[in-house]
Amino acid sequence: MKTSNSIYPIAKAALLVAGLLIGSSSPVWAQAKTPSTGSKQPAPPPKGLEKVEATPEKEDDYYKLISLPIPEGVVLEVGGMATLPDGSLAICTRRGEVWIVSNPNISGNEQPTYKRFAYGLHEPLGLAYKDGDIYVTQRSEVTRLHDADGDGQADTYDKIYSWPLSGNYHEYSYGPLFLPNGNMLVTLNLGWSNSLGHGVSLAPWRGWMLEITPDGKMTPVAAGMRSPSGFGMNAAGDVFYTENQGDWVGSGRITHVEKGDFVGNAEGLRWSGLPGSPVALKPQDVPNTGEPLYEVTKRVSALKAPAVWLPHGILGISTTGILLNDTKGKFGPFENQLFVGDQGQSKVTRVDFEKVKGEYQGVVFPFREGFSSGILRLVWGSDGSMFSGMTSRGWSSTGKDLYGLQRLVWTGRMPFEMKTVHAMPDGFEITFTKPVDRKLAADPASYKITGFNYKYHATYGSPVINSESCPVRGVVVSEDGLKARLVVDGLRQGYIHEINTEGVRGEDGKLLLHDVAYYTLNNIPDGEKLAIAKAPPAHNHAAMAMAAAKPAAKPPKAKAVVAKKAAANSTAKRVTEQPASWTKGADFTINMSTKPGLKFEPNQFQVKAGSTVKVVFRNNDDMLHNFVVVMPGTAIEVGELAMKLGLEGQEKNYIPQTDKLLYHTNLLQPNTSEAIYFTAPEKPGTYTYECSVPGHFYTMQGLMKVVK
């Protein structure tokens, strides 16, 4: 047999002759599966195969986190970071300082040393080193810092290039990234309008990527960015940038950027008529239809589809720095893949790209959680360990610290992971880091694949749309147990495909460290397909006997009653019209709003037990929020249940089905409001209200005090 990887010739022959998979007594077809929600729950063993007991392993078994001590008085809110030739780190902070951290590769009781190199900068959010100088990107300019006398402090602050500001607080600037030709790339964040409820480009080139020469000449590169805080190059030298959920951005994503690209947000197109612009589109040229972005690219040729989508709330909520793994094996088995930070969920994901029909696409995996603050920057240390620079002030994160510097070190143990996933003409091929149990891996029931997408529209974010199960019709496992080729029905171009491998085990019976991946399928490759028959109808006597032995299903009417009851329970927790029995109105009316930094205003209120309450919640923040009242001491538990809604989370307003959740609003867009009505609990106590959006609920909380 000839495939794109020229493997499995014996396996294919056996398939064609016997209609069975090598090493498996199961047929090569499988029925359609229920769409996965992305939550990690134990999977039942594949039908017909013996149960395999396995103990989950931890990320910490393979990648250890080491926190670097920070001297008292040093507020290390990391904005940018670079490794210097002597192995020390140069770090700029949001407070406008640059620090040199020597001896950062600590592992025991050793202490790094900190020396301030520069100060007085305007919130620099990027830093690079080149030819003995440090370059920082402030809000309004790229600045070269030069130490003329070698005393470890900058003597000159030279402006390379500057751009105008409107004064909007959201006008962050990032970079520089040095290109092979010696030029620099910078990206400019959009501003934010509370009154409009969306991003705005109030000064030239806001929402653009710019290329700047060492002598200060600027060329616009690409438009359509919203919050482009992370960008870097892959092993081929191509540039990618990360984007956060927001207006025109249904979920976090990574896009390959070339000159003349429009990458999605229409606000910055107001400057496309300026001299030097390589983009001709105007804001009115961008259709606001709610179709998937990939579909719109067919009509708007300048619009660039993302190479990889990161599902919101599952693989982060605020995508940041990109780091190419060029450590030559010092950081494990993922050479030339990219690691991507997330500020809101204090985690790192892992991305692998491939080019299909000349365009990038690829797969993203969970990698490492548990960082102490919100990750903004990632760099390699001189020993191949990963340094994470963090900050959470105003951008709250699951990591509780306001800032931090941590080092992630590979222990040398090989994790059992999906190493990568490649698109095939008829499905996907998964490569593992260690051999799998071939019998389990060859059974289609060990996998679940779900295709889904997001709306492309001016509204903030998007729920998952067009979610459909993709039946796994057959699996062929390589002789060495390192690859599994899945034949999959129902794949769609331009869609994200959740690949769940819950049923796969290693040769030693161990579970995968992470059993889910998300592949963005922009193009389906050409090539030979595997000849696997579709499942025949089950009409034989054995199947009929098995069906007869099963308990009788509930009649449709009973199912309808159950569904109606569940809907009623949900509705009772969100009453948006004043009950008719409240003839004198509510006993208490609470006007609730948001404050910057994931906070409620007010942060507490008091009502009487059994009283009638009206809460008017207004979301005047620049992101999605809801208002949820829960039982005392259950805020984190309810929030984590909301996270487990996975792909269905935003569609369900991040409202899980639990008795510990008492009352709630829907998920509100920026600059919108909703009123809810409820009767306060009869039992006095301190009840918590929170925003249950993943990552928000850890800190966005307040107290409802119920008194006699």
Side-chain angles (χ1 to χ4, degrees):
M1 163 189 155
K2 184 177 179 183
T3 69
S4 60
N5 287 304
S6 300
I7 60 171
Y8 323 150
I10 300 174
K12 183 181 179 185
L15 273 168
L16 295 175
V17 173
L20 297 175
L21 292 173
I22 292 178
S24 173
S25 58
S26 305
V28 297
W29 48 78
Q31 299 299 318
K33 312 290 191 305
T34 304
S36 170
T37 63
S39 59
K40 188 170 175 88
Q41 298 175 346
K47 187 176 178 181
L49 300 175
E50 62 272 17
K51 186 177 180 181
V52 176
E53 298 291 347
T55 303
E57 295 191 295
K58 298 174 293 194
E59 293 172 342
D60 192 59
D61 295 331
Y62 303 95
Y63 289 91
K64 293 278 186 189
L65 267 173
I66 301 169
S67 295
L68 275 71
I70 299 171
E72 188 175 349
V74 178
V75 183
L76 205 73
E77 296 177 336
V78 179
M81 195 160 55
T83 305
L84 303 182
D86 64 357
S88 58
L89 300 177
I91 297 174
C92 65
T93 76
R94 296 173 63 196
R95 304 289 174 123
E97 299 176 317
V98 176
W99 291 85
I100 306 299
V101 182
S102 301
N103 190 32
N105 298 338
I106 63 167
S107 57
N109 296 322
E110 305 160 89
Q111 296 289 319
T113 59
Y114 291 71
K115 183 172 182 178
R116 193 172 72 172
F117 181 77
Y119 61 96
L121 304 171
H122 189 182
E123 196 171 22
L125 291 177
L127 180 148
Y129 170 86
K130 186 173 176 61
D131 299 334
D133 291 330
I134 290 173
Y135 294 75
V136 293
T137 299
Q138 306 185 64
R139 278 190 174 248
S140 63
E141 70 175 52
V142 175
T143 308
R144 179 175 57 234
L145 305 174
H146 180 65
D147 177 11
D149 56 13
D151 65 351
Q153 292 181 312
D155 299 301
T156 60
Y157 296 56
D158 301 318
K159 181 184 78 173
I160 303 298
Y161 182 79
S162 64
W163 44 84
L165 294 173
S166 75
N168 187 284
Y169 82 98
H170 211 250
E171 288 182 339
Y172 309 114
S173 304
Y174 312 101
L177 172 68
F178 276 96
L179 297 170
N181 63 8
N183 293 345
M184 296 167 276
L185 294 178
V186 298
T187 55
L188 308 184
N189 213 94
L190 289 178
W192 178 262
S193 169
N194 280 328
S195 60
L196 297 175
H198 61 70
V200 286
S201 187
L202 300 174
W205 309 120
R206 282 283 151 192
W208 287 68
M209 175 179 281
L210 311 177
E211 183 172 346
I212 299 166
T213 65
D215 59 355
K217 293 182 177 141
M218 185 276 288
T219 304
V221 175
M225 297 174 179
R226 176 186 175 271
S227 187
S229 67
F231 52 108
M233 289 181 280
N234 66 353
D238 291 325
V239 175
F240 295 80
Y241 98 102
T242 64
E243 187 63 273
N244 293 336
Q245 186 191 63
D247 38 316
W248 297 101
V249 188
S251 183
R253 62 199 191 200
I254 305 175
T255 305
H256 174 217
V257 185
E258 297 175 287
K259 189 169 185 179
D261 283 341
F262 167 59
V263 294
N265 192 295
E267 294 299 320
L269 291 176
R270 62 179 299 189
W271 312 111
S272 63
L274 291 182
S277 169
V279 180
L281 286 176
K282 301 295 181 187
Q284 59 269 26
D285 297 332
V286 183
N288 185 19
T289 59
E291 302 167 81
L293 187 150
Y294 180 86
E295 296 301 319
V296 180
T297 64
K298 296 175 182 177
R299 304 195 303 276
V300 182
S301 59
L303 176 60
K304 188 74 159 282
V308 168
W309 288 89
L310 285 75
H312 189 79
I314 300 172
L315 291 182
I317 59 174
S318 48
T319 314
T320 56
I322 292 176
L323 184 62
L324 170 67
N325 185 4
D326 55 3
T327 64
K328 296 181 171 54
K330 293 180 182 178
F331 200 70
F334 309 115
E335 189 71 11
N336 290 332
Q337 297 188 10
L338 271 68
F339 294 101
V340 182
D342 189 81
Q343 196 281 328
Q345 290 193 336
S346 304
K347 65 171 61 171
V348 171
T349 53
R350 176 170 57 88
V351 171
D352 197 22
F353 296 118
E354 63 177 334
K355 260 190 174 180
V356 177
K357 297 181 179 177
E359 296 179 318
Y360 278 109
Q361 58 189 44
V363 63
V364 56
F365 307 90
F367 180 68
R368 186 61 162 90
E369 297 183 323
F371 289 82
S372 64
S373 187
I375 298 170
L376 196 63
R377 298 291 170 241
L378 300 171
V379 297
W380 295 117
S382 58
D383 64 345
S385 60
M386 177 190 290
F387 284 93
S388 170
M390 298 170 287
T391 175
S392 69
R393 174 173 57 89
W395 311 325
S396 195
S397 61
T398 58
K400 296 292 189 284
D401 293 348
L402 290 176
Y403 53 86
L405 180 61
Q406 287 185 298
R407 179 170 170 247
L408 189 64
V409 181
W410 181 41
T411 65
R413 293 183 58 194
M414 181 66 69
F416 178 39
E417 294 270 41
M418 286 182 275
K419 184 176 182 180
T420 192
V421 176
H422 291 297
M424 291 287 139
D426 50 4
F428 298 106
E429 180 181 76
I430 304 172
T431 301
F432 299 93
T433 58
K434 297 166 74 172
V436 295
D437 178 320
R438 292 179 62 220
K439 189 174 184 181
L440 286 171
D443 193 292
S446 292
Y447 309 86
K448 295 177 186 176
I449 297 183
T450 307
F452 63 96
N453 221 316
Y454 296 102
K455 293 181 179 180
Y456 176 56
H457 56 184
T459 305
Y460 194 106
S462 168
V464 165
I465 61 170
N466 303 341
S467 178
E468 290 182 12
S469 178
C470 302
V472 180
R473 182 147 41 99
V475 185
V476 180
V477 181
S478 63
E479 291 290 338
D480 59 8
L482 291 174
K483 293 185 178 182
R485 179 161 172 183
L486 281 58
V487 177
V488 183
D489 290 335
L491 298 179
R492 289 171 287 176
Q493 284 187 223
Y495 276 68
I496 309 103
H497 293 81
E498 180 187 68
I499 302 171
N500 196 301
T501 55
E502 288 178 325
V504 174
R505 301 290 183 268
E507 278 185 332
D508 53 6
K510 288 186 177 179
L511 297 163
L512 284 155
L513 187 59
H514 301 101
D515 59 16
V516 66
Y518 295 87
Y519 191 99
T520 301
L521 190 67
N522 289 329
N523 286 300
I524 297 174
D526 297 326
E528 187 177 358
K529 299 180 179 180
L530 297 185
I532 297 179
K534 290 192 175 182
H539 61 272
N540 59 58
H541 294 294
M544 293 171 65
M546 288 176 66
K550 290 183 179 178
K554 290 182 180 180
K557 188 176 180 182
K559 284 186 179 180
V561 169
V562 170
K564 192 173 182 181
K565 208 176 268 189
N569 288 339
S570 175
T571 303
K573 296 180 180 182
R574 176 178 169 261
V575 177
T576 57
E577 293 185 7
Q578 181 174 300
S581 59
W582 296 15
T583 54
K584 296 182 180 180
D587 297 327
F588 295 89
T589 297
I590 311 297
N591 291 307
M592 183 68 57
S593 63
T594 61
K595 286 174 61 178
L598 297 185
K599 295 177 182 177
F600 285 109
E601 175 63 38
N603 60 8
Q604 61 178 288
F605 63 89
Q606 182 173 293
V607 295
K608 290 183 179 179
S611 63
T612 57
V613 182
K614 174 184 178 182
V615 173
V616 181
F617 176 51
R618 179 169 185 80
N619 178 17
N620 51 23
D621 204 355
D622 57 3
M623 60 188 79
L624 301 173
H625 293 302
N626 58 19
F627 173 83
V628 177
V629 181
V630 301
M631 292 291 288
T634 65
I636 300 301
E637 180 182 350
V638 172
E640 289 177 345
L641 288 173
M643 283 181 67
K644 289 180 180 178
L645 292 172
L647 296 179
E648 299 176 331
Q650 190 159 328
E651 180 186 6
K652 293 185 175 181
N653 295 287
Y654 294 111
I655 303 299
Q657 290 293 320
T658 171
D659 292 339
K660 292 168 183 176
L661 189 154
L662 301 178
Y663 326 108
H664 68 88
T665 67
N666 268 350
L667 192 63
L668 299 188
Q669 289 285 324
N671 200 35
T672 61
S673 63
E674 181 173 275
I676 59 170
Y677 302 80
F678 59 86
T679 301
E682 295 289 346
K683 184 177 179 180
T686 300
Y687 296 75
T688 303
Y689 53 90
E690 66 177 340
C691 171
S692 64
V693 171
H696 294 192
F697 61 84
Y698 288 103
T699 55
M700 194 169 178
Q701 298 180 14
L703 300 176
M704 181 179 78
K705 295 184 177 181
V706 178
V707 298
K708 289 184 180 180

